[in-house]
Amino acid sequence: MTSFVKRSFFLLLLLTVSSTGAYDLHRRQNASIAIYKDASASVEERVADLISRMTIEEKTAQLIQGDISNWVNTTTNAFNATGLAWNFANRAGQFYVGYPVQQSWISGGVEIAQDYLTENTTLGIPALVQTEGIHGLLVGNATVFNSPIAQACSWDPELIGDMANIIAQESRALGVNQIFAPLADLARELRYGRVEETYGEDPHLVGEMAYHYVKGLQSGNVSATVKHFAAFSAPEQGLNTGPVHGGERELRTTWLPPFKRAIIDAGAYSIMGAYNSYDGIPTVADYHLMTEILREEWGYKYWITSDAGATDRLCCAFKMCSCKPIDSEAVTMYALPAGNDVEMGGGSYNFAKIPQLVAEGKLDIEVVNTAVARQMRAKFEMGLFEHPFPGAPGNKTKDIIHTSEAVELSRKLDAESIVLLENNDQTLPLKKDANIAVIGPMADFVNFGDYVVNKAQYNPANVNPLQGIRNASTGKVTYVQGCERWSNDQSGFPEAVSAAEVADVAVVLVGTWSRDQNELWQGLNATTGEHVDVASLKLVGAMGPLVQAIIETGKPTVVVFQSGKPITEPWISEHASALVQQFYPGEQGGNALADVLFGNVSPSGKLSVSVPYDVGTLPVFYDYLNSGRGADPDVGKAYDNGTLDFGHQYVLGDPRPLYEFGYGLSYANFTYSNLTLSSTTATASDTITASVSVTNTASVDGKEVVQFYVQDVLASVVVPNIQLKSFKKVMVKAGETVDVQVELKVQDWGLWDLRMKYVVEPGEFVVWAGASSVDLKGNATVTVS
């Protein structure tokens, strides 16, 4: 026997011999022929039967997250049988495995756990096995994709589905059956550190990306966990976990649509709550949100878990109960009846109080039964009782994880996500035999965003920008760092300037940086990531001056922003020969960047988030409410020569974005014509087909993201000025024309009226088609009756 099989064998022998007397043999015998064990029975019959057989302690154990570290030492892989038995007596419903350990440690620990649960507990209920996966499975040597803010710039939901399918494949190889992704949060506050984890600012785009992630992941029988429910990512002052201000209409108009798309339309098996309060109510205890809207209005039948430590915040952050010692009774009574079914770790495990509260008559057992049923429903739907451990043999995981197909997709998605912001005098694409000076602290650096496993950035399979450029170039490539990303020291500037002066072109790489999941919480420097919020969106330290020094050499200068959020540097936009935005890349980011820089791939990315001139002009999302940002504001400006041009909105600034949502250039050139609608009259139940012709007048092929927006001309409440309602990414070959069609559901054009009812009001609606939220090429009017 292998050491793993031996360990499993002796474990089962030990537990069988030592604990038989502890089992309720009568219950165990009855369970062996129970309805819930019958795969041919309906899910609802199985759920009801199982719950009728569970003790209050067994129910409670389903509602508290466990952790693999209770039986697997994450430093030595030593096994702890006592810890295993304790964990599943108290925290049996699901457990976390997201540690930077060998893959075999995870799969071995998971298999032991599932074997123990199914063979050595009274009812044999398998567990959900959990880790992170917003841009790749959070284990060592899994495929790393670019961050969600970048993925969304691809405007290619099918690619996101393909990525999620690979994440599911890699997860199942290790026995992982639940991933904490995707986010349906919106990037509405750019100071907030977690912008990189979102799919951008727009509800429709975010909803489509999250929908396809859920469908792709769950097609591989791995549960998605849509997070963070809800209205989390616009905290006061941009500070992580801060309160979010807004009302019911904003909640329903802006925040909830992407969640409904990912949760209800895609059929997500689980949801993660949020840390924030919205309009004064902590979301982890918001009955209106989790029960009245999610369950009663939307009909959601699966389960919600709190985020790590979020339940403690009811006492210790929101001051709704005593913190020291924490009032576990108050926490449980706030969260569980409101609809938060499961308590994640990271806090005080307050839900352990459930049996006492039921016994004392303070908590209705039906509240507990409902929470357990929601989780069991997901487990039965997923077939976990029939197949609790889908993992591959330890010697086969390398054939499943980090395959050549996964790596190829990572590179493709990265290239599709890169956004060309400026390209003066057709500086790009570069000639492959050019003499190139590669400069900047992000050049010889793997710049993953947060939520990657510890030390992932040092995997030799990664390709950084300098390596990618060298791989693609047939000319001379000289590298000078120029400065550190975290320092004001400019002593490296002369060498960088000298390298630029003798080169044909300079490529300068600067931006923001995050940390892996271990480093992020160790107090190391970073400028984005969870709990890393900023007061400025400008480049840090010497990076801005370095870019200026290189531009001022007079040599063509291509600036690459590699970042987790927009960077506000208007001077660079005005003076760089070309400007490229690469939001945090994946493991093939360097090759993907080179693919675009050298023209192997024509850039097709479009911004998933608007870029402001300055942090002081926030927010700049495109779908501002009518009466907000004017179409022609009285702007001012301070010029390089010291001249001040005073305006009023703003005195020395511009409330409009520097680069708007949906913006992005190409090496191709697209013109639009012939926007037509299948009907110019409609009712709320109709679907209209919109069609527009897109012609590529350039000599190179290219992909264009054709965007369709709808304007409600007159409404009974204040509504967004325009809203994205559909889009399609199409290849248009040089000199050819493509007719692009999308279906627009009139039901999606509604609003929440004065009595907070969703209605599509009669009247005129204008359908726009174009290349961005500002660059709208044509329109047609629909009269809705």
Side-chain angles (χ1 to χ4, degrees):
M1 284 190 282
T2 66
S3 60
F4 170 75
V5 174
K6 283 182 180 178
R7 190 167 63 180
S8 299
F9 173 80
F10 288 119
L11 166 66
L12 294 176
L13 180 63
L14 171 65
L15 292 172
T16 301
V17 171
S18 65
S19 59
T20 301
Y23 286 145
D24 181 342
L25 295 179
H26 179 68
R27 293 176 64 227
R28 187 175 177 84
Q29 289 168 355
N30 285 344
S32 66
I33 56 171
I35 292 173
Y36 82 88
K37 291 283 186 71
D38 181 1
S40 67
S42 73
V43 167
E44 293 309 312
E45 288 176 319
R46 298 179 79 182
V47 169
D49 180 63
L50 177 55
I51 289 176
S52 73
R53 298 170 182 274
M54 297 174 73
T55 67
I56 186 61
E57 289 77 17
E58 289 167 339
K59 292 172 182 176
T60 300
Q62 291 294 315
L63 304 182
I64 307 174
Q65 183 191 41
D67 198 289
I68 196 172
S69 64
N70 288 323
W71 64 93
V72 174
N73 186 304
T74 57
T75 301
T76 66
N77 199 31
F79 171 66
N80 180 348
T82 302
L84 178 76
W86 176 88
N87 185 96
F88 291 117
N90 296 279
R91 301 170 187 174
Q94 64 288 145
F95 60 89
Y96 185 71
V97 302
Y99 290 93
V101 300
Q102 294 180 35
Q103 293 175 4
S104 61
W105 296 15
I106 295 174
S107 59
V110 170
E111 186 170 9
I112 287 174
Q114 298 288 34
D115 284 349
Y116 174 81
L117 284 168
T118 55
E119 301 296 331
N120 290 277
T121 63
T122 303
L123 297 176
I125 303 172
L128 288 157
V129 184
Q130 308 166 320
T131 189
E132 304 285 353
I134 59 173
H135 56 124
L137 176 65
L138 193 77
V139 300
N141 204 43
T143 310
V144 180
F145 298 90
N146 52 0
S147 285
I149 192 67
Q151 295 168 22
C153 291
S154 74
W155 291 63
D156 193 333
E158 286 74 21
L159 272 182
I160 305 307
D162 293 342
M163 176 196 72
N165 202 282
I166 286 173
I167 294 172
Q169 172 184 301
E170 297 189 350
S171 299
R172 284 176 57 82
L174 303 181
V176 173
N177 55 35
Q178 184 182 2
I179 293 294
F180 293 153
L183 273 71
D185 297 330
L186 303 175
R188 309 289 277 193
E189 168 52 86
L190 299 182
R191 295 173 295 178
Y192 170 61
R194 303 181 75 173
V195 167
E196 68 200 67
E197 300 175 34
T198 76
Y199 288 126
E201 71 184 40
D202 175 66
H204 181 77
L205 177 63
V206 171
E208 291 307 297
M209 295 296 176
Y211 171 92
H212 282 81
Y213 185 105
V214 172
K215 297 295 279 188
L217 192 74
Q218 295 192 170
S219 70
N221 207 33
V222 173
S223 169
T225 308
V226 182
K227 60 185 186 181
H228 304 88
F229 194 68
F232 174 51
S233 50
E236 182 178 289
Q237 293 190 285
L239 297 176
N240 185 51
T241 74
V244 178
H245 304 288
E248 181 82 0
R249 185 167 287 101
E250 182 175 357
L251 178 71
R252 291 179 176 275
T253 301
T254 302
W255 292 105
L256 291 183
F259 280 97
K260 189 174 184 182
R261 179 69 170 144
I263 293 168
I264 302 301
D265 294 351
Y269 286 130
S270 64
I271 300 169
M272 186 186 295
Y275 288 118
N276 65 297
S277 66
Y278 184 82
D279 194 23
I281 305 296
T283 51
V284 74
D286 192 337
Y287 180 85
H288 177 56
L289 179 67
M290 293 187 290
T291 297
E292 292 180 336
I293 295 178
L294 178 68
R295 271 63 183 255
E296 295 174 4
E297 289 185 26
W298 295 2
Y300 186 63
K301 58 184 180 178
Y302 303 114
W303 61 290
I304 301 178
T305 178
S306 64
D307 205 340
T311 49
D312 280 14
R313 287 175 55 80
L314 290 166
C315 293
C316 301
F318 299 118
K319 312 298 183 185
M320 295 167 61
C321 40
S322 172
C323 179
K324 295 181 180 180
I326 195 162
D327 187 343
S328 289
E329 176 179 325
V331 170
T332 303
M333 293 303 295
Y334 273 128
L336 184 62
N340 184 91
D341 305 303
V342 170
E343 184 179 47
M344 191 181 285
S348 301
Y349 298 100
N350 302 282
F351 279 19
K353 201 84 168 179
I354 288 172
Q356 178 184 333
L357 294 174
V358 171
E360 294 174 350
K362 296 177 179 178
L363 178 64
D364 189 340
I365 186 61
E366 287 308 310
V367 172
V368 180
N369 289 344
T370 297
V372 175
R374 289 165 176 162
Q375 185 181 164
M376 293 305 161
R377 193 171 288 119
K379 290 183 178 182
F380 283 124
E381 294 273 12
M382 294 174 65
L384 293 189
F385 283 78
E386 290 70 48
H387 304 286
F389 181 73
N395 62 348
K396 295 293 185 181
T397 58
K398 290 183 180 179
D399 298 332
I400 302 172
I401 296 176
H402 204 255
T403 64
S404 58
E405 292 80 10
V407 173
E408 181 181 352
L409 181 65
S410 178
R411 179 171 179 168
K412 179 180 180 181
L413 177 56
D414 224 319
E416 296 272 327
S417 305
I418 291 171
V419 184
L420 180 61
L421 298 177
E422 304 284 349
N423 193 22
N424 298 312
D425 300 323
Q426 295 184 314
T427 301
L428 293 177
L430 301 175
K431 295 179 179 179
K432 291 190 175 181
D433 62 355
N435 178 353
I436 303 171
V438 178
I439 297 166
M442 271 56 183
D444 192 17
F445 174 61
V446 175
N447 198 14
F448 293 148
D450 65 2
Y451 281 87
V452 292
V453 75
N454 186 42
K455 308 301 181 185
Q457 62 272 37
Y458 303 116
N459 189 325
N462 300 333
V463 181
N464 68 37
L466 176 61
Q467 292 170 316
I469 291 170
R470 283 178 169 161
N471 290 343
S473 172
T474 60
K476 180 181 179 182
V477 176
T478 302
Y479 166 63
V480 178
Q481 181 172 311
C483 69
E484 293 285 4
R485 60 186 185 273
W486 58 76
S487 172
N488 283 312
D489 183 9
Q490 299 185 10
S491 61
F493 282 21
E495 183 183 2
V497 167
S498 295
E501 288 175 337
V502 298
D504 297 326
V505 61
V507 178
V508 187
L509 294 109
V510 291
T512 66
W513 69 100
S514 189
R515 294 282 182 172
D516 66 43
Q517 277 306 96
N518 282 45
E519 291 182 346
L520 190 66
W521 300 95
Q522 293 175 2
L524 302 178
N525 61 52
T527 50
T528 74
E530 186 172 2
H531 85 286
V532 182
D533 311 307
V534 295
S536 171
L537 298 175
K538 299 183 75 64
L539 292 168
V540 169
M543 286 191 284
L546 174 65
V547 174
Q548 183 168 349
I550 302 305
I551 289 175
E552 290 178 345
T553 64
K555 284 300 178 77
T557 302
V558 178
V559 179
V560 178
F561 288 157
Q562 202 176 75
S563 64
K565 62 175 59 182
I567 291 171
T568 58
E569 292 285 357
W571 188 92
I572 294 175
S573 294
E574 291 180 14
H575 295 89
S577 304
L579 179 60
V580 173
Q581 175 67 63
Q582 183 180 33
F583 289 118
Y584 288 145
E587 62 180 65
Q588 285 288 308
N591 281 336
L593 179 63
D595 287 339
V596 170
L597 293 180
F598 288 100
N600 293 334
V601 174
S602 180
S604 62
K606 300 276 191 172
L607 288 174
S608 58
V609 61
S610 302
V611 180
Y613 282 90
D614 182 79
V615 71
T617 69
L618 293 177
V620 292
F621 42 75
Y622 83 94
D623 55 339
Y624 59 89
L625 296 180
N626 288 330
S627 82
R629 190 181 319 137
D632 188 22
D634 179 14
V635 304
K637 184 175 180 180
Y639 292 89
D640 292 346
N641 63 7
T643 300
L644 300 180
D645 186 0
F646 287 89
H648 296 88
Q649 298 173 320
Y650 292 106
V651 170
L652 292 173
D654 192 331
R656 297 167 299 188
L658 175 60
Y659 300 109
E660 72 272 10
F661 172 79
Y663 171 85
L665 302 176
S666 172
Y667 298 151
N669 183 59
F670 303 106
T671 62
Y672 287 64
S673 61
N674 302 324
L675 173 63
T676 59
L677 304 177
S678 59
S679 177
T680 57
T681 60
T683 66
S685 61
D686 289 337
T687 297
I688 290 176
T689 300
S691 178
V692 68
S693 298
V694 180
T695 302
N696 181 359
T697 62
S699 59
V700 297
D701 300 343
K703 291 183 179 180
E704 172 70 334
V705 178
V706 183
Q707 303 163 45
F708 294 85
Y709 296 83
V710 172
Q711 176 190 6
D712 187 346
V713 177
L714 297 173
S716 63
V717 296
V718 181
V719 297
N721 70 104
I722 58 169
Q723 293 178 291
L724 180 73
K725 292 301 180 184
S726 189
F727 60 88
K728 184 176 286 188
K729 191 169 192 175
V730 294
M731 169 63 77
V732 188
K733 293 185 177 180
E736 293 190 358
T737 297
V738 172
D739 293 328
V740 179
Q741 291 187 341
V742 299
E743 291 188 342
L744 300 171
K745 294 181 179 179
V746 179
Q747 182 63 30
D748 294 338
W749 301 359
L751 53 79
W752 293 90
D753 70 9
L754 292 167
R755 297 188 179 184
M756 207 56 68
K757 304 296 183 184
Y758 185 79
V759 296
V760 179
E761 294 185 333
E764 288 190 352
F765 292 81
V766 179
V767 177
W768 299 84
S772 79
S773 57
V774 171
D775 189 8
L776 300 173
K777 306 292 188 176
N779 67 81
T781 300
V782 178
T783 301
V784 175
S785 58

Short mmCIF file of all heavy atoms in Angstrom, two decimals, residues 584-602:
data_model
loop_
_atom_site.label_atom_id
_atom_site.label_comp_id
_atom_site.label_asym_id
_atom_site.label_seq_id
_atom_site.Cartn_x
_atom_site.Cartn_y
_atom_site.Cartn_z
N TYR A 584 -4.02 43.78 -14.14
CA TYR A 584 -3.18 42.69 -13.66
C TYR A 584 -3.27 41.44 -14.52
O TYR A 584 -4.34 40.84 -14.68
CB TYR A 584 -3.53 42.33 -12.24
CG TYR A 584 -3.11 43.34 -11.20
CD1 TYR A 584 -3.88 43.57 -10.08
CD2 TYR A 584 -1.91 44.06 -11.33
CE1 TYR A 584 -3.51 44.49 -9.12
CE2 TYR A 584 -1.53 44.98 -10.38
CZ TYR A 584 -2.33 45.20 -9.27
OH TYR A 584 -1.94 46.11 -8.32
N PRO A 585 -2.14 41.00 -15.08
CA PRO A 585 -2.15 39.87 -16.01
C PRO A 585 -2.10 38.54 -15.28
O PRO A 585 -1.92 38.46 -14.06
CB PRO A 585 -0.86 40.10 -16.81
CG PRO A 585 0.05 40.78 -15.83
CD PRO A 585 -0.83 41.65 -14.98
N GLY A 586 -2.21 37.48 -16.08
CA GLY A 586 -2.02 36.13 -15.58
C GLY A 586 -0.60 35.68 -15.84
O GLY A 586 0.30 36.47 -16.14
N GLU A 587 -0.40 34.38 -15.76
CA GLU A 587 0.95 33.83 -15.84
C GLU A 587 1.58 34.01 -17.21
O GLU A 587 2.81 33.97 -17.34
CB GLU A 587 0.95 32.36 -15.46
CG GLU A 587 0.14 31.47 -16.36
CD GLU A 587 0.19 30.02 -15.93
OE1 GLU A 587 -0.31 29.71 -14.83
OE2 GLU A 587 0.74 29.21 -16.69
N GLN A 588 0.77 34.22 -18.24
CA GLN A 588 1.28 34.45 -19.59
C GLN A 588 1.21 35.93 -19.97
O GLN A 588 1.27 36.27 -21.16
CB GLN A 588 0.48 33.62 -20.59
CG GLN A 588 0.83 32.14 -20.55
CD GLN A 588 2.19 31.85 -21.14
OE1 GLN A 588 2.51 32.27 -22.25
NE2 GLN A 588 3.02 31.16 -20.38
N GLY A 589 1.12 36.79 -18.97
CA GLY A 589 0.93 38.21 -19.23
C GLY A 589 2.01 38.84 -20.07
O GLY A 589 1.73 39.72 -20.90
N GLY A 590 3.26 38.44 -19.89
CA GLY A 590 4.35 39.00 -20.68
C GLY A 590 4.24 38.64 -22.14
O GLY A 590 4.43 39.49 -23.03
N ASN A 591 3.94 37.39 -22.43
CA ASN A 591 3.75 36.98 -23.82
C ASN A 591 2.54 37.66 -24.44
O ASN A 591 2.57 38.06 -25.61
CB ASN A 591 3.60 35.46 -23.91
CG ASN A 591 4.92 34.73 -23.83
OD1 ASN A 591 5.98 35.28 -24.14
ND2 ASN A 591 4.89 33.48 -23.39
N ALA A 592 1.47 37.77 -23.67
CA ALA A 592 0.26 38.42 -24.19
C ALA A 592 0.52 39.89 -24.50
O ALA A 592 0.06 40.40 -25.54
CB ALA A 592 -0.88 38.29 -23.17
N LEU A 593 1.24 40.57 -23.63
CA LEU A 593 1.59 41.96 -23.89
C LEU A 593 2.42 42.09 -25.16
O LEU A 593 2.17 42.97 -26.00
CB LEU A 593 2.34 42.54 -22.69
CG LEU A 593 2.80 44.00 -22.83
CD1 LEU A 593 1.61 44.94 -22.97
CD2 LEU A 593 3.66 44.40 -21.64
N ALA A 594 3.40 41.21 -25.30
CA ALA A 594 4.23 41.24 -26.51
C ALA A 594 3.40 40.93 -27.76
O ALA A 594 3.63 41.51 -28.83
CB ALA A 594 5.38 40.25 -26.39
N ASP A 595 2.42 40.04 -27.64
CA ASP A 595 1.54 39.75 -28.77
C ASP A 595 0.89 41.02 -29.29
O ASP A 595 0.76 41.23 -30.51
CB ASP A 595 0.44 38.76 -28.36
CG ASP A 595 0.96 37.34 -28.16
OD1 ASP A 595 2.04 37.02 -28.69
OD2 ASP A 595 0.28 36.56 -27.46
N VAL A 596 0.48 41.89 -28.36
CA VAL A 596 -0.17 43.14 -28.76
C VAL A 596 0.84 44.17 -29.21
O VAL A 596 0.67 44.85 -30.23
CB VAL A 596 -1.03 43.67 -27.59
CG1 VAL A 596 -1.53 45.09 -27.88
CG2 VAL A 596 -2.21 42.74 -27.33
N LEU A 597 1.93 44.34 -28.46
CA LEU A 597 2.92 45.37 -28.80
C LEU A 597 3.51 45.15 -30.18
O LEU A 597 3.78 46.13 -30.91
CB LEU A 597 4.04 45.39 -27.76
CG LEU A 597 3.68 45.84 -26.34
CD1 LEU A 597 4.92 45.81 -25.46
CD2 LEU A 597 3.08 47.25 -26.35
N PHE A 598 3.72 43.89 -30.57
CA PHE A 598 4.34 43.61 -31.86
C PHE A 598 3.33 43.30 -32.97
O PHE A 598 3.72 43.02 -34.10
CB PHE A 598 5.32 42.44 -31.73
CG PHE A 598 6.58 42.79 -30.97
CD1 PHE A 598 6.71 42.44 -29.64
CD2 PHE A 598 7.60 43.50 -31.58
CE1 PHE A 598 7.87 42.77 -28.94
CE2 PHE A 598 8.76 43.84 -30.89
CZ PHE A 598 8.89 43.47 -29.55
N GLY A 599 2.06 43.36 -32.65
CA GLY A 599 1.04 43.24 -33.68
C GLY A 599 0.62 41.83 -34.03
O GLY A 599 -0.13 41.65 -34.99
N ASN A 600 1.09 40.83 -33.30
CA ASN A 600 0.57 39.48 -33.54
C ASN A 600 -0.92 39.40 -33.22
O ASN A 600 -1.64 38.58 -33.78
CB ASN A 600 1.34 38.46 -32.71
CG ASN A 600 2.79 38.33 -33.14
OD1 ASN A 600 3.12 38.61 -34.29
ND2 ASN A 600 3.66 37.95 -32.22
N VAL A 601 -1.33 40.24 -32.28
CA VAL A 601 -2.74 40.37 -31.91
C VAL A 601 -3.09 41.84 -31.98
O VAL A 601 -2.41 42.68 -31.38
CB VAL A 601 -3.00 39.83 -30.49
CG1 VAL A 601 -4.45 40.12 -30.07
CG2 VAL A 601 -2.70 38.34 -30.41
N SER A 602 -4.14 42.16 -32.72
CA SER A 602 -4.61 43.54 -32.74
C SER A 602 -5.40 43.79 -31.46
O SER A 602 -6.28 43.00 -31.12
CB SER A 602 -5.51 43.79 -33.95
OG SER A 602 -5.97 45.13 -33.97
#
